[in-house]
Amino acid sequence: MTSTPSPDSSFAIEQKASLIKRRRSVHGGLIGLQLDRHAPGEAWSSLPYHPVFVGDTSTRVIHGGVVTVMLDESCGMAVQLALQSTQAIATLDLRIDYLRPATPGQAIRAHAHCYHVTHSIAFVRATAYQDSEADPIASATALFMIAANRTDMLRQEPKVWFDTPPPLVVPDDTGGPLAISPYARFLGIQVDEQANAVMPYDPKQIGNPILPALHGGVIGAFLETAAVLKVHREIGLATAPKPIGLTVNYLRSGRPIDTFAKVSIVKQGRRVVAFEVQAYQADPDKPIASCYGHFKLRAQGDDAVAPGDS
């Protein structure tokens, strides 16, 4: 295994970009996320459309968690491209605003810019779009910790990999609460006997394959799915709520074990619901991530696509 580089080791930008393209996260690689263009501290990425990414089969819109995965990883690319070395980085928090629905069947693109770096923290902003960056479907801001651990994702040998990548196939579910959400089922999310969301561990959920650790975007997708299930059930909605915006705080590394969720409804209005959700693993008192966000409620028969349907 290659040793971790010293903080003062310097990489040319082209060499760094080449490493990023070859050594992406496990989950990012499986879903087809690509680094298309780069500059110091900037990354332009793309994700081809796939039916697995759908969050609601009745509208065919992309699961918000797919956008979360893309923005989280794209921000990470921008941070790597801003650093002198290939130090380990980790997402501290990620704020996403869903601005308009994505057009079903089209690729999603992202532009992330790491605009400020201190000794230990990197500040990033990003936009997800389709035809034009001037017409975004979502925007994000994020904080990353620099030298978060002793791993070097770009140059060390991974502990989790696939000799043959699994196909993008969704498990069958014709009658459960996740029947309309292919991406949630692709992640392996299930509903337990108490109607709570559970995400049994699967290697395809991994972000950093060196630790290994769950992908921050996958954890965000799980938190969002858990909140959707809770709000949908508790309020008795005819249709699933749609995310408007959410902020995820990453508290601990997500280990390669099963993940659980605790959700609470903070405030319910006529059109908007505020919620909080925590993801935990072995100990409910030691969450690995927490999330605060808002959903827009949609009445039965309302065919208009609300903000956040992307």
mmCIF file of all heavy atoms in Angstrom, residues 83-106:
data_model
loop_
_atom_site.group_PDB
_atom_site.id
_atom_site.type_symbol
_atom_site.label_atom_id
_atom_site.label_comp_id
_atom_site.label_asym_id
_atom_site.label_seq_id
_atom_site.Cartn_x
_atom_site.Cartn_y
_atom_site.Cartn_z
ATOM 1 N N LEU A 83 -6.058 21.675 -3.398
ATOM 2 C CA LEU A 83 -5.000 21.368 -2.441
ATOM 3 C C LEU A 83 -3.666 21.107 -3.143
ATOM 4 O O LEU A 83 -3.635 20.679 -4.298
ATOM 5 C CB LEU A 83 -5.392 20.152 -1.599
ATOM 6 C CG LEU A 83 -6.661 20.280 -0.765
ATOM 7 C CD1 LEU A 83 -6.943 18.970 -0.023
ATOM 8 C CD2 LEU A 83 -6.549 21.439 0.217
ATOM 9 N N GLN A 84 -2.581 21.332 -2.415
ATOM 10 C CA GLN A 84 -1.254 21.066 -2.944
ATOM 11 C C GLN A 84 -0.966 19.568 -3.015
ATOM 12 O O GLN A 84 -0.260 19.106 -3.893
ATOM 13 C CB GLN A 84 -0.208 21.743 -2.056
ATOM 14 C CG GLN A 84 -0.205 23.255 -2.151
ATOM 15 C CD GLN A 84 0.253 23.746 -3.515
ATOM 16 O OE1 GLN A 84 1.286 23.308 -4.014
ATOM 17 N NE2 GLN A 84 -0.518 24.634 -4.115
ATOM 18 N N SER A 85 -1.538 18.826 -2.074
ATOM 19 C CA SER A 85 -1.245 17.394 -1.979
ATOM 20 C C SER A 85 -2.514 16.582 -2.191
ATOM 21 O O SER A 85 -3.548 17.111 -2.593
ATOM 22 C CB SER A 85 -0.642 17.076 -0.611
ATOM 23 O OG SER A 85 -1.609 17.278 0.396
ATOM 24 N N THR A 86 -2.450 15.294 -1.900
ATOM 25 C CA THR A 86 -3.620 14.429 -1.989
ATOM 26 C C THR A 86 -4.071 14.021 -0.588
ATOM 27 O O THR A 86 -4.319 12.863 -0.307
ATOM 28 C CB THR A 86 -3.321 13.179 -2.828
ATOM 29 O OG1 THR A 86 -2.226 12.469 -2.232
ATOM 30 C CG2 THR A 86 -2.976 13.538 -4.252
ATOM 31 N N GLN A 87 -4.155 14.990 0.312
ATOM 32 C CA GLN A 87 -4.588 14.709 1.674
ATOM 33 C C GLN A 87 -6.027 14.204 1.712
ATOM 34 O O GLN A 87 -6.837 14.512 0.839
ATOM 35 C CB GLN A 87 -4.489 15.980 2.522
ATOM 36 C CG GLN A 87 -3.087 16.554 2.611
ATOM 37 C CD GLN A 87 -3.084 17.864 3.356
ATOM 38 O OE1 GLN A 87 -3.298 17.893 4.563
ATOM 39 N NE2 GLN A 87 -2.843 18.947 2.650
ATOM 40 N N ALA A 88 -6.343 13.446 2.756
ATOM 41 C CA ALA A 88 -7.709 12.979 2.957
ATOM 42 C C ALA A 88 -8.613 14.160 3.282
ATOM 43 O O ALA A 88 -8.223 15.086 3.994
ATOM 44 C CB ALA A 88 -7.755 11.962 4.094
ATOM 45 N N ILE A 89 -9.820 14.141 2.748
ATOM 46 C CA ILE A 89 -10.813 15.167 3.063
ATOM 47 C C ILE A 89 -12.101 14.486 3.505
ATOM 48 O O ILE A 89 -12.329 13.309 3.196
ATOM 49 C CB ILE A 89 -11.092 16.088 1.855
ATOM 50 C CG1 ILE A 89 -11.647 15.266 0.673
ATOM 51 C CG2 ILE A 89 -9.849 16.853 1.452
ATOM 52 C CD1 ILE A 89 -12.110 16.125 -0.500
ATOM 53 N N ALA A 90 -12.940 15.211 4.241
ATOM 54 C CA ALA A 90 -14.223 14.675 4.687
ATOM 55 C C ALA A 90 -15.238 15.803 4.742
ATOM 56 O O ALA A 90 -14.913 16.928 5.159
ATOM 57 C CB ALA A 90 -14.091 14.016 6.062
ATOM 58 N N THR A 91 -16.465 15.528 4.314
ATOM 59 C CA THR A 91 -17.525 16.526 4.359
ATOM 60 C C THR A 91 -17.930 16.792 5.800
ATOM 61 O O THR A 91 -18.233 15.862 6.550
ATOM 62 C CB THR A 91 -18.759 16.057 3.578
ATOM 63 O OG1 THR A 91 -18.360 15.470 2.339
ATOM 64 C CG2 THR A 91 -19.707 17.215 3.307
ATOM 65 N N LEU A 92 -17.936 18.063 6.196
ATOM 66 C CA LEU A 92 -18.424 18.458 7.515
ATOM 67 C C LEU A 92 -19.901 18.783 7.475
ATOM 68 O O LEU A 92 -20.674 18.353 8.332
ATOM 69 C CB LEU A 92 -17.634 19.663 8.033
ATOM 70 C CG LEU A 92 -16.183 19.413 8.420
ATOM 71 C CD1 LEU A 92 -15.523 20.724 8.818
ATOM 72 C CD2 LEU A 92 -16.104 18.410 9.568
ATOM 73 N N ASP A 93 -20.298 19.589 6.511
ATOM 74 C CA ASP A 93 -21.728 19.840 6.323
ATOM 75 C C ASP A 93 -21.999 20.174 4.865
ATOM 76 O O ASP A 93 -21.113 20.607 4.126
ATOM 77 C CB ASP A 93 -22.269 20.924 7.269
ATOM 78 C CG ASP A 93 -21.753 22.319 6.956
ATOM 79 O OD1 ASP A 93 -21.778 22.739 5.795
ATOM 80 O OD2 ASP A 93 -21.322 23.008 7.897
ATOM 81 N N LEU A 94 -23.240 19.935 4.476
ATOM 82 C CA LEU A 94 -23.668 20.139 3.098
ATOM 83 C C LEU A 94 -25.082 20.704 3.107
ATOM 84 O O LEU A 94 -25.987 20.081 3.646
ATOM 85 C CB LEU A 94 -23.633 18.813 2.322
ATOM 86 C CG LEU A 94 -24.095 18.827 0.867
ATOM 87 C CD1 LEU A 94 -23.136 19.653 0.006
ATOM 88 C CD2 LEU A 94 -24.193 17.396 0.326
ATOM 89 N N ARG A 95 -25.249 21.897 2.546
ATOM 90 C CA ARG A 95 -26.549 22.545 2.458
ATOM 91 C C ARG A 95 -26.990 22.539 1.008
ATOM 92 O O ARG A 95 -26.265 22.988 0.114
ATOM 93 C CB ARG A 95 -26.461 23.986 2.966
ATOM 94 C CG ARG A 95 -27.585 24.907 2.511
ATOM 95 C CD ARG A 95 -28.877 24.677 3.242
ATOM 96 N NE ARG A 95 -29.999 25.361 2.581
ATOM 97 C CZ ARG A 95 -31.220 25.439 3.092
ATOM 98 N NH1 ARG A 95 -31.463 24.874 4.265
ATOM 99 N NH2 ARG A 95 -32.178 26.047 2.460
ATOM 100 N N ILE A 96 -28.190 22.000 0.726
ATOM 101 C CA ILE A 96 -28.716 21.915 -0.637
ATOM 102 C C ILE A 96 -30.077 22.586 -0.707
ATOM 103 O O ILE A 96 -30.955 22.339 0.131
ATOM 104 C CB ILE A 96 -28.837 20.455 -1.112
ATOM 105 C CG1 ILE A 96 -27.466 19.792 -1.141
ATOM 106 C CG2 ILE A 96 -29.472 20.394 -2.505
ATOM 107 C CD1 ILE A 96 -27.491 18.352 -1.606
ATOM 108 N N ASP A 97 -30.265 23.437 -1.716
ATOM 109 C CA ASP A 97 -31.563 24.036 -2.031
ATOM 110 C C ASP A 97 -32.014 23.495 -3.380
ATOM 111 O O ASP A 97 -31.279 23.593 -4.376
ATOM 112 C CB ASP A 97 -31.466 25.564 -2.083
ATOM 113 C CG ASP A 97 -31.174 26.161 -0.719
ATOM 114 O OD1 ASP A 97 -31.866 25.808 0.241
ATOM 115 O OD2 ASP A 97 -30.243 26.989 -0.627
ATOM 116 N N TYR A 98 -33.193 22.923 -3.414
ATOM 117 C CA TYR A 98 -33.760 22.401 -4.656
ATOM 118 C C TYR A 98 -34.561 23.513 -5.320
ATOM 119 O O TYR A 98 -35.570 23.977 -4.780
ATOM 120 C CB TYR A 98 -34.639 21.192 -4.374
ATOM 121 C CG TYR A 98 -33.891 20.034 -3.753
ATOM 122 C CD1 TYR A 98 -33.922 19.813 -2.376
ATOM 123 C CD2 TYR A 98 -33.132 19.172 -4.534
ATOM 124 C CE1 TYR A 98 -33.228 18.758 -1.809
ATOM 125 C CE2 TYR A 98 -32.429 18.121 -3.977
ATOM 126 C CZ TYR A 98 -32.483 17.915 -2.612
ATOM 127 O OH TYR A 98 -31.789 16.889 -2.046
ATOM 128 N N LEU A 99 -34.145 23.941 -6.507
ATOM 129 C CA LEU A 99 -34.682 25.146 -7.126
ATOM 130 C C LEU A 99 -35.778 24.888 -8.148
ATOM 131 O O LEU A 99 -36.718 25.675 -8.268
ATOM 132 C CB LEU A 99 -33.533 25.925 -7.784
ATOM 133 C CG LEU A 99 -32.352 26.246 -6.851
ATOM 134 C CD1 LEU A 99 -31.237 26.922 -7.628
ATOM 135 C CD2 LEU A 99 -32.810 27.106 -5.681
ATOM 136 N N ARG A 100 -35.652 23.827 -8.897
ATOM 137 C CA ARG A 100 -36.671 23.496 -9.895
ATOM 138 C C ARG A 100 -36.514 22.031 -10.253
ATOM 139 O O ARG A 100 -35.479 21.409 -9.999
ATOM 140 C CB ARG A 100 -36.538 24.364 -11.140
ATOM 141 C CG ARG A 100 -35.309 24.074 -11.982
ATOM 142 C CD ARG A 100 -35.362 24.762 -13.327
ATOM 143 N NE ARG A 100 -34.216 24.406 -14.164
ATOM 144 C CZ ARG A 100 -34.170 23.321 -14.920
ATOM 145 N NH1 ARG A 100 -35.182 22.472 -14.952
ATOM 146 N NH2 ARG A 100 -33.099 23.066 -15.662
ATOM 147 N N PRO A 101 -37.551 21.440 -10.860
ATOM 148 C CA PRO A 101 -37.460 20.017 -11.220
ATOM 149 C C PRO A 101 -36.512 19.779 -12.384
ATOM 150 O O PRO A 101 -36.400 20.589 -13.301
ATOM 151 C CB PRO A 101 -38.906 19.657 -11.609
ATOM 152 C CG PRO A 101 -39.500 20.958 -12.032
ATOM 153 C CD PRO A 101 -38.878 22.002 -11.161
ATOM 154 N N ALA A 102 -35.800 18.658 -12.321
ATOM 155 C CA ALA A 102 -34.980 18.231 -13.451
ATOM 156 C C ALA A 102 -35.874 17.634 -14.523
ATOM 157 O O ALA A 102 -36.931 17.065 -14.225
ATOM 158 C CB ALA A 102 -33.960 17.193 -12.999
ATOM 159 N N THR A 103 -35.453 17.773 -15.766
ATOM 160 C CA THR A 103 -36.198 17.180 -16.866
ATOM 161 C C THR A 103 -35.900 15.687 -16.917
ATOM 162 O O THR A 103 -34.736 15.297 -17.060
ATOM 163 C CB THR A 103 -35.801 17.823 -18.206
ATOM 164 O OG1 THR A 103 -36.054 19.222 -18.142
ATOM 165 C CG2 THR A 103 -36.587 17.205 -19.354
ATOM 166 N N PRO A 104 -36.931 14.832 -16.780
ATOM 167 C CA PRO A 104 -36.684 13.381 -16.807
ATOM 168 C C PRO A 104 -36.016 12.956 -18.109
ATOM 169 O O PRO A 104 -36.319 13.461 -19.184
ATOM 170 C CB PRO A 104 -38.098 12.789 -16.688
ATOM 171 C CG PRO A 104 -38.903 13.857 -16.022
ATOM 172 C CD PRO A 104 -38.346 15.154 -16.539
ATOM 173 N N GLY A 105 -35.080 12.017 -18.001
ATOM 174 C CA GLY A 105 -34.427 11.470 -19.177
ATOM 175 C C GLY A 105 -33.156 12.180 -19.591
ATOM 176 O O GLY A 105 -32.444 11.700 -20.481
ATOM 177 N N GLN A 106 -32.830 13.311 -18.957
ATOM 178 C CA GLN A 106 -31.627 14.058 -19.323
ATOM 179 C C GLN A 106 -30.540 13.902 -18.267
ATOM 180 O O GLN A 106 -30.826 13.698 -17.088
ATOM 181 C CB GLN A 106 -31.951 15.551 -19.483
ATOM 182 C CG GLN A 106 -32.798 15.882 -20.690
ATOM 183 C CD GLN A 106 -32.897 17.392 -20.900
ATOM 184 O OE1 GLN A 106 -32.149 18.167 -20.311
ATOM 185 N NE2 GLN A 106 -33.822 17.801 -21.749
#
